[in-house]
C-alpha cells in the first residue's frame, strides 16, 4: 500500500529515460512518488589469503535504501561508504564488509582496524564509492628500513651454537699455548741439565765431523811453563792432514792394537816452535763409542810409537800416547828435529823428561814438547766433550 504525502504535489508523468551503463546509475523518480528500491550491490568478495572474513563469516547483504524526505531523489548506491559529493543519501550505516575499514566521512561502519597493507581508495569528489583499504597481501609485514623479524627459537639456537663454538675455540687455543709452553720448558730444562757421562761419551765420538779444525787444532798453542826448567813455549800450526781412514793414517802395529776396539777416523796436525828447530805431530784417533770405555782403556801401555806428519819414521825422536776415559779418543804426539836428522833410539816423553837421561833428544826438550802439545790439544778436545755448565743467575 502506497501512502501519499498531503503536502506533496500530484505526480507528473515523466517519460522513461534510457538506462545508463554501470551498476550505480538509476532513473530518477517523479516528485512525490515512492522511491523505488535500489538494486543491491554485492560487497566485494574477500581475496584468498586477505584479511577478509574467513570461513564461517558471511558478508552482509545490502537492503533497499530509503529516501530522506526533502532530499533529492536518486538511486541509492550501495557499497562500503558513498562519498557525500556523490549525490546519494544513505540511511543508516552502510553494510559492513569483512576486512575493509571505513574511510572518514563515508558513513560506513568498519569492522576493526585497517589492514596493515595500504591499498588504493576512492578520492573524494570522484563520484564513485571508494572501497577503503585494499585487502592484506599474504606474507610478513615489513616496514621501511626494518629487517624481517626472526623467530625467537631459531635465533636462540643460533646464539647457543655460536657460544659453544667460541668456547671450544678458546679451550683449543689455551691447550695449544699450554702445550707449546710445556715443550719449550722441557727443551730449556734438557738444555740446562748437564748430560750424563754416557751421553758425553757418545757425543764425543762424533766430534771429528762436527767440530771445526781450528777448535780441535788451534792455529797457535801457548804452553806456559811446559818447557825444560818451566820455560814458556809457544807452538804454531804448520800443517793439517785431511781426516783419513785408519789403515791410511796408522802404521800396521797400531791397526793391530786397535782391532779389538775398532777405529773410526784419524785427524792429524803438525806444529813447530818459535825457533823452528822442533816438529811435533799430534793426532786424534776416534774409536766407536759402542765399544765402551773399557775397550779403549785397555790400549794403555800397549800402543807403539806413532807415525809423524811431515817426517819419516827414522826421524822420530820422542812420543806419547793418552787414552781418554770421557771420550772414545786416543791422543798421541811424536816429535822430530827440523833438520831431518835420524834418531837411533826414540824415547818416550817420560824418559826424555827424566833429568838423568842423556842425549840430544833429552837436552833439546823434545819430551817436554810432545807432552805440552798433546796436553794443549786434549784441553781443546775436553772443552768440546764436556762444555762448562752455565753459572746460575743471581
Amino acid at each position: 500500500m502506497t501512502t501519499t504525502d498531503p503536502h506533496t504535489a500530484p505526480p507528473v508523468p515523466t517519460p522513461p529515460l534510457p538506462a545508463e551503463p554501470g551498476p550505480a546509475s538509476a532513473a530518477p523518480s517523479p516528485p512525490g512518488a515512492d522511491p523505488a528500491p535500489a538494486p543491491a550491490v554485492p560487497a566485494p568478495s574477500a581475496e584468498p589469503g586477505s584479511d577478509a572474513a574467513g570461513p564461517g563469516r558471511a558478508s552482509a547483504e545490502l537492503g533497499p535504501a530509503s529516501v530522506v524526505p526533502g532530499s533529492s531523489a536518486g538511486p541509492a548506491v550501495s557499497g562500503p561508504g558513498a562519498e557525500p559529493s556523490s549525490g546519494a543519501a544513505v540511511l543508516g550505516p552502510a553494510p559492513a564488509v569483512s576486512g575493509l575499514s571505513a574511510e572518514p566521512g563515508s558513513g560506513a561502519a568498519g569492522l576493526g582496524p585497517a589492514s596493515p597493507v595500504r591499498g588504493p581508495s576512492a578520492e573524494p569528489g570522484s563520484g564513485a564509492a571508494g572501497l577503503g583499504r585494499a585487502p592484506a597481501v599474504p606474507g610478513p609485514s615489513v616496514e621501511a628500513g626494518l629487517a624481517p623479524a626472526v623467530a625467537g627459537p631459531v635465533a636462540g639456537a643460533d646464539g647457543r651454537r655460536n657460544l659453544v663454538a667460541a668456547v671450544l675455540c678458546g679451550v683449543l687455543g689455551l691447550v695449544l699455548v699450554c702445550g707449546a709452553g710445556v715443550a719449550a720448558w722441557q727443551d730449556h730444562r734438557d738444555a740446562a741439565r748437564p748430560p750424563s757421562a754416557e751421553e758425553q761419551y757418545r757425543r764425543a765420538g762424533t766430534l771429528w765431523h762436527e767440530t771445526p779444525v781450528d777448535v780441535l787444532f788451534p792455529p797457535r798453542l801457548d804452553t806456559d811453563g811446559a818447557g825444560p826448567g818451566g820455560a814458556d813455549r809457544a807452538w804454531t800450526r804448520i800443517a793439517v792432514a785431511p781426516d783419513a781412514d785408519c789403515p791410511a793414517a796408522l802404521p800396521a802395529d797400531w791397526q793391530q792394537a786397535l782391532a779389538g776396539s775398532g777405529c773410526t777416523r784419524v785427524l792429524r796436525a803438525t806444529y813447530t816452535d818459535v825457533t823452528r828447530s822442533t816438529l811435533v805431530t799430534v793426532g786424534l784417533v776416534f774409536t766407536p763409542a759402542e765399544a765402551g770405555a773399557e775397550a779403549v782403556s785397555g790400549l794403555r801401555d800397549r800402543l807403539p810409537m806413532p807415525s809423524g806428519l811431515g817426517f819419516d819414521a827414522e826421524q822420530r825422536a820422542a812420543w806419547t800416547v793418552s787414552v781418554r776415559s770421557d771420550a772414545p779418543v786416543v791422543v798421541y804426539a811424536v816429535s822430530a828435529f827440523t833438520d831431518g836428522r835420524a834418531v837411533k833410539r826414540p824415547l818416550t816423553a817420560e824418559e826424555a823428561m827424566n833429568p838423568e837421561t842423556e842425549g840430544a833428544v833429552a837436552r833439546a826438550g823434545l819430551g817436554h814438547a810432545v807432552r805440552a802439545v798433546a796436553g794443549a790439544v786434549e784441553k781443546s778436545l775436553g772443552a768440546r766433550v764436556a762444555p762448562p755448565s752455565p753459572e746460575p743467575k743471581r
Side-chain angles (χ1 to χ4, degrees):
M1 176 180 227
T2 305
T3 304
T4 305
D5 189 352
H7 300 285
T8 305
V12 179
T14 303
L17 296 178
E20 291 294 331
S25 62
S29 301
D34 292 335
V41 179
S45 60
E47 293 295 330
S50 68
D51 292 341
R57 178 183 295 180
S59 299
E61 294 183 359
L62 300 179
S66 301
V67 180
V68 179
S71 63
S72 60
V77 180
S78 62
E83 296 295 332
S85 59
S86 62
V90 180
L91 291 179
V97 180
S98 174
L100 301 180
S101 61
E103 292 293 331
S106 64
L111 292 179
S115 172
V117 181
R118 296 190 180 95
S121 60
E123 296 294 332
S126 62
L131 295 180
R133 299 182 182 273
V137 179
S141 174
V142 181
E143 296 293 338
L146 296 179
V150 181
V154 177
D158 291 342
R160 286 192 295 271
R161 285 194 293 266
N162 294 338
L163 179 60
V164 171
V167 171
L168 290 179
C169 291
V171 172
L172 180 59
L174 182 62
V175 170
L176 293 177
V177 170
C178 292
V182 171
W185 175 78
Q186 289 179 347
D187 293 342
H188 177 74
R189 183 192 63 180
D190 294 342
R193 179 179 59 86
S196 63
E198 184 179 357
E199 291 175 347
Q200 290 181 0
Y201 193 86
R202 287 198 307 266
R203 291 178 184 177
T206 62
L207 292 177
W208 65 269
H209 63 83
E210 294 180 353
T211 309
V213 64
D214 288 346
V215 175
L216 293 178
F217 300 124
R220 178 183 172 88
L221 298 175
D222 293 320
T223 56
D224 298 337
D232 297 336
R233 304 289 294 270
W235 304 88
T236 303
R237 191 185 66 195
I238 60 174
V240 176
D243 59 285
D245 293 333
C246 298
L250 298 176
D253 50 0
W254 269 70
Q255 297 179 35
Q256 184 178 359
L258 293 172
S261 62
C263 180
T264 304
R265 215 69 176 169
V266 178
L267 306 180
R268 295 169 295 170
T270 297
Y271 290 83
T272 186
D273 62 348
V274 292
T275 63
R276 299 280 178 166
S277 60
T278 305
L279 297 175
V280 177
T281 296
V282 60
L284 301 176
V285 180
F286 286 83
T287 61
E290 294 78 8
E294 295 180 0
V296 179
S297 62
L299 297 175
R300 288 187 177 94
D301 303 330
R302 292 178 49 211
L303 291 174
M305 182 172 51
S307 59
L309 176 65
F311 49 89
D312 298 332
E314 61 273 8
Q315 296 175 346
R316 294 175 295 184
W319 56 280
T320 184
V321 176
S322 172
V323 179
R324 295 188 62 90
S325 61
D326 58 351
V329 180
V330 176
V331 182
Y332 69 84
V334 59
S335 62
F337 292 103
T338 56
D339 57 8
R341 74 181 72 175
V343 177
K344 295 180 179 180
R345 181 177 173 268
L347 302 175
T348 63
E350 291 78 6
E351 294 175 343
M353 293 173 65
N354 191 342
E356 298 179 359
T357 304
E358 300 291 337
V361 175
R363 290 192 300 267
L366 295 184
H368 293 79
V370 293
R371 180 65 65 84
V373 173
V377 172
E378 279 194 73
K379 184 178 179 179
S380 298
L381 177 65
R384 302 295 297 183
V385 171
S389 301
E391 296 182 358
K393 295 182 180 180
R394 297 179 179 178

